[in-house]
């Protein structure tokens, strides 16, 4: 749960997604644990700046590898998908 929460925080910070609700995650992934645990880990203050920075770098690297493009082009892809 904690690792997933960290990746979600990184994705939100990068603008890839908005913060999902407990219901949205449970609907998508099934049993994700208790609502209380989700609420606890979805708070940025539960992580150090270094943990968040590392997660942001890791997500950025994966997205660049998957998209085979620069961060600016990735943002354009995301914006176009939302339209």
């Amino acid at each position: 749960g904690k690792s997933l929460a960290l990746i979600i925080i990184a994705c939100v910070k990068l603008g890839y997604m908005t913060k999902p609700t407990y219901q949205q995650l449970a609907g998508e992934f099934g049993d994700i644990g208790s609502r209380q645990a989700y609420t606890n880990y979805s708070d940025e203050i539960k992580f150090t700046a270094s943990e968040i920075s590392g997660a942001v770098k890791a997500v950025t690297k994966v997205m660049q590898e998957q998209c085979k493009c620069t961060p600016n082009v990735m943002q354009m892809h995301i914006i176009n998908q939302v339209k």
Side-chain angles (χ1 to χ4, degrees):
K2 187 175 181 180
S3 297
L4 176 60
L6 185 56
I7 297 302
I8 289 171
I9 288 170
C11 289
V12 170
K13 283 192 154 307
L14 290 165
Y16 296 138
M17 63 189 290
T18 58
K19 181 180 173 184
T21 65
Y22 175 84
Q23 281 299 112
Q24 289 170 321
L25 285 177
E28 185 69 28
F29 299 108
D31 182 15
I32 61 166
S34 72
R35 184 181 302 266
Q36 183 179 2
Y38 171 72
T39 301
N40 183 45
Y41 285 133
S42 66
D43 190 347
E44 276 189 50
I45 64 169
K46 300 294 180 183
F47 300 96
T48 66
S50 177
E51 288 174 312
I52 293 171
S53 166
V56 165
K57 287 178 186 172
V59 168
T60 300
K61 181 180 178 190
V62 167
M63 293 302 285
Q64 285 176 334
E65 290 171 358
Q66 293 297 314
C67 185
K68 303 279 191 258
C69 57
T70 65
N72 289 340
V73 173
M74 280 190 309
Q75 284 294 87
M76 288 177 58
H77 285 301
I78 293 164
I79 290 168
N80 288 334
Q81 289 176 3
V82 172
K83 288 182 181 178

